[in-house]
Amino acid sequence: MRRSSDLSPEQADESAWWHDAVFYQVYVRSFADSNGDGVGDLDGIRSRLGYLELLGVDALWLTPFYTSPMADHGYDVADPRDVDPLFGDLAAFDRLVAEAHEHNMKITVDLVPNHSSDRHEWFQAALLAAPGGPERNRYIFRDGRGFDGSQPPNNWTSIFGGPAWTRVADGQWYLHLFAPEQPDLNWDNPEVSADLARTLRFWLDRGVDGFRIDVAHGMAKPHGLPDMDVRAEQASGVLHDNALDPRFDDDGVHEHHRMIRKVIDSYPGRMAVGEIWVQGDDRFARYVRPDELHLGFNFRLVQAGFEAEQVRAAIEHSLAAVAPTGTPPTWTLSNHDVVRHVTRYGGGALGAQRARAMALVQLALPGVVYLYNGEELGLPNVELPDWALQDPTWVRSGHTDRGRDGCRVPLPWEGSAPPFGFSSGQGSWLPQPDEWAGLTAERQLEDPDSMLSLYRQALELRKSTEGMSGTELEWYGAPPGCFAFRRKGGGLICALNTSGAPVPLPPGEVLLSSGPMDGDQLPPDTAVWLV
Ligand code: GLC
């Protein structure tokens, strides 16, 4: 046996715990509420660790729970080294880490390096300081254009709608790629990176196993802040590629990832995954390297429709992007920023059937899977009434874009009426539909045909089946609208039928199917694992 000291850094990563891990994203506000205020919290997560263990996930990713005025539900951080009272306190965090580790689950936390909250003490000091001073230099303040400086310094728009600049009392403008309450930090200022290093060490010392890095393709801005191409603006939204876009993926960002990696490497066994929205596999590959991120979120499966050719292309691109880097691919169907996939695939019974099929596809792939809380219950997106909407996108877009609240509705745990055991109080921060009575975890645990039972079986088999080994895929010939791939190392075959008619199964014994089989035929909207 090789000792880990014989391995190069990349090979050592191959054997690291995250290499084929299944992560579970906990959107903290919406997972479980322990104190009856209708908002999820850290003790709530702790109370449901048994469920997560039963589900069979290896690690959790917690969305931001730091001190925040919640203009973007925690992605506007006022103090990155403390817990917001809404979610608990540092002692609650320590309890959660300790208990998760007892349940053999790793804990990873979100880091938000691109911007802070406007209530961060640095930004408050910047507002009080004179233009040109060191306090302003931690953010991106500029004079405006036009003879009186009343025009923004450039034409950049905010991802949430409207201009990316806000004017302050003395006439200068500050940059915010997201909401005005999220001023962008100036990563050319060494104080900014030193502070992030301090934050990393703070949480590493408290025992976290890794980080998810928000807007990992942000941070660095091009010299001179040139205007953006208006075509990039048309593609705006959290989910956009950015070949034409000077706001993101500036080459200077890699230096910051190397700094982050150096800190993480001083704590063995810890990792980071980046949120990376970039155009092109080669641009993506630049982020995942032995001296930068361990993993990158590749959103190609989120962007693919329920159509075999599109899904196959998404898989091939995701594999090609990491092939030269020696790092594992990551797979994800949903997160807190996108429409839930049951709804993307058509909604209702058909959307759920297709979501079952795609669950088997993503869990048959080599590498790392990120599940989003509630996908294991088959939750659809919720059409919320106007009064309930809270995402800043709704207001910033002039009430034209309903934003991301529909995928953030709190989870239904048990019982027959809202809040379905999510909270001991009367309600939840976003209202749950009455129909979710049929989707509670309690109901689904008892039903062998439920979405939850499918996830449990698939996660169990993913761990225990030898056929799941190896990092490469071999594609079989398949009828139009279908595909079949084989894990080269272990031999497991996964077939998907997105066509309208049954197709013959590839040879092998059925290990698991996403729906009822039709003799030796694979029915439409179904996937199967064979050995
Ligand atoms: C990321 C997060 C999103 C947040 C944004 C600003 O895209 O996933 O939820 O609004 O960054 O921090």
Side-chain angles (χ1 to χ4, degrees), residues 25 27 61 72 74-76 110 112 114-115 159-160 178-179 182 212 214-215 217 238 275 277 335-337 391-392 404 408:
Q25 178 189 355
Y27 191 70
W61 149 29
D72 187 19
Y75 282 97
D76 48 320
D110 225 310
V112 190
N114 180 70
H115 43 265
I159 297 297
F160 294 152
F178 295 89
Q182 292 166 296
R212 177 263 188 186
D214 188 65
V215 199
H217 58 309
V238 177
E275 181 198 29
W277 288 101
N335 66 29
H336 65 296
D337 292 327
D391 185 351
R404 302 159 294 175
R408 298 174 173 179

Side-chain angles (χ1 to χ4, degrees), residues 44 58 80 89 105 129 148 154 172 217 234 237 246 250 253 313 350-351 383 386 434 457 491:
D58 304 302
D89 54 20
M105 266 179 267
D148 57 354
N154 68 19
Q172 276 210 314
H217 58 309
Q234 283 151 14
D250 184 76
V253 71
L350 180 66
E383 283 295 328
D386 290 3
D434 292 339
Q457 285 175 70

